[in-house]
Amino acid sequence: MQASATEPKPTMPLCNNRTVLITGAGGGLGRAYALAFAGQGARVVVNDTRLEAAQAVVDEIRAAGGQGLANGGDITTLSGAQAIVDAAVAAFGEVHVLVNNAGVLRDRMFLSLTEEDWDTVMRVHLKGHFCLANVLGRRWRDAKKAGTPVEHPRIINTSSGAGLQGSIGQSNYAAAKAGIAGLTLVQAAELARYGITVNCLAPAARTSMTEGAMPDLVKKPETGFDVWDPLNVASIVVWLGSPLSAHVTGRCFEAKGGELSVADGWRTGALIDKGARWDPAELTPVVDRLIAEGVPPQKVYGT
């Protein structure tokens, strides 16, 4: 029977026939992303060191009629990243979207940090972001050069408000997340020639990390809109992984609840040019004027 003119036309899922690889997807934000992508037709590779948790998310995806693969591979080495990509390609033929989401915390005041605290956070966040993006970036570049480009390849990184504004007691985490924001800018510039877009996200949601750090703030309300539900953040991540976002790259999105904004990073502010070398003794009023004329920094987290 022919549909009436007023009957809404069915819409194609945003990520139909696309394969999405998400790290740290056994819970929290990663799980929300996996379920949201699957709901939009994507095949999802759920990567997490907690393989049982990853499999539980895949079971949810399959129960809803979607396709998923649980993977416990190591994201912090190139060989581990290659093995993860190989498994994804073997299962689904190609990877179209990488969501670098996995992370850990080792929170301490700066002077109390150990070398292991620093190295662990840098390895999981910064090196973890490097390895899979490097392996997939080279794969997508080679496909483009061979005349068989992957359709709409995407890298979505995860920064944080801590990386954008600082966070007391999280110098290792904040430094890693700031590094990821900087990495995103360079990746976006270098990979554009291969049709790859790279963006990052600074999400705020209820996860095991935020529940441990600020349990009273992120608790679920008894009624009304749940601002801290991770599925709220998943909307922009799915959009960034879809063909609709082809015109956007090198951006950092902040997302919480129904709030969405684009972070405006370091920019050159007020400028004074003497036209000659400054004497250190004359710089106090100059610096004071520059600061007064500039935009004040946002409040550091935890103050």
Side-chain angles (χ1 to χ4, degrees):
M1 185 172 67
Q2 187 174 4
S4 68
T6 58
E7 185 176 325
K9 296 180 180 179
T11 57
M12 182 73 71
L14 290 183
C15 296
N16 210 35
N17 297 319
R18 288 172 71 72
T19 299
V20 180
L21 169 54
I22 307 172
T23 67
L29 283 165
R31 172 183 170 274
Y33 301 161
L35 297 177
F37 269 112
Q40 288 291 334
R43 303 171 294 249
V44 185
V45 180
V46 179
N47 170 266
D48 201 295
T49 54
R50 306 163 299 167
L51 188 55
E52 289 185 4
Q55 185 60 55
V57 175
V58 170
D59 291 344
E60 287 186 77
I61 290 171
R62 291 176 178 168
Q67 299 181 66
L69 173 70
N71 180 280
D74 182 7
I75 66 170
T76 66
T77 68
L78 283 175
S79 60
Q82 185 66 63
I84 295 168
V85 172
D86 289 346
V89 171
F92 299 128
E94 189 52 81
V95 177
H96 303 86
V97 182
L98 168 63
V99 182
N100 279 315
N101 168 73
V104 295
L105 290 178
R106 295 292 186 272
D107 290 356
R108 287 181 175 83
M109 299 301 282
F110 178 72
L111 296 182
S112 298
L113 281 176
T114 66
E115 187 173 8
E116 183 180 0
D117 293 332
W118 184 269
D119 289 347
T120 297
V121 169
M122 292 299 165
R123 184 178 71 252
V124 175
H125 288 275
L126 267 178
K127 193 176 181 188
H129 270 63
F130 161 74
C131 291
L132 272 168
N134 184 267
V135 169
L136 278 170
R138 284 187 282 111
R139 177 182 179 83
W140 294 334
R141 176 201 62 190
D142 294 347
K144 174 80 170 179
K145 288 184 174 181
T148 56
V150 173
E151 292 186 1
H152 304 290
R154 303 277 186 265
I155 297 173
I156 303 167
N157 294 327
T158 304
S159 183
S160 166
L164 302 178
Q165 288 105 36
S167 180
I168 290 175
Q170 292 189 309
S171 57
N172 49 356
Y173 179 76
K177 290 304 193 183
I180 288 167
L183 173 66
T184 298
L185 297 177
V186 179
Q187 287 175 322
E190 292 186 358
L191 302 181
R193 71 187 69 181
Y194 308 119
I196 303 167
T197 67
V198 189
N199 293 283
C200 74
L201 188 75
R206 185 186 307 106
T207 68
S208 59
M209 289 197 295
T210 55
E211 284 182 321
M214 44 185 184
D216 293 336
L217 181 62
V218 302
K219 63 183 179 181
K220 187 175 181 179
E222 294 182 6
T223 59
F225 178 49
D226 184 0
V227 171
W228 296 95
D229 188 337
L231 282 170
N232 299 330
V233 179
S235 300
I236 183 63
V237 179
V238 170
W239 183 84
L240 286 170
S242 77
L244 295 178
S245 63
H247 60 295
V248 177
T249 193
R251 297 290 187 168
C252 182
F253 293 86
E254 296 182 89
K256 183 188 79 171
E259 300 174 4
L260 188 64
S261 61
V262 178
D264 190 9
W266 291 102
R267 292 182 179 273
T268 302
L271 184 144
I272 298 173
D273 183 2
K274 178 182 177 180
R277 183 180 300 125
W278 293 98
D279 186 304
E282 65 180 329
L283 282 176
T284 299
V286 176
V287 172
D288 288 348
R289 177 182 163 191
L290 288 173
I291 292 174
E293 293 178 359
V295 177
Q298 290 185 261
K299 181 179 179 182
V300 173
Y301 281 42
T303 61

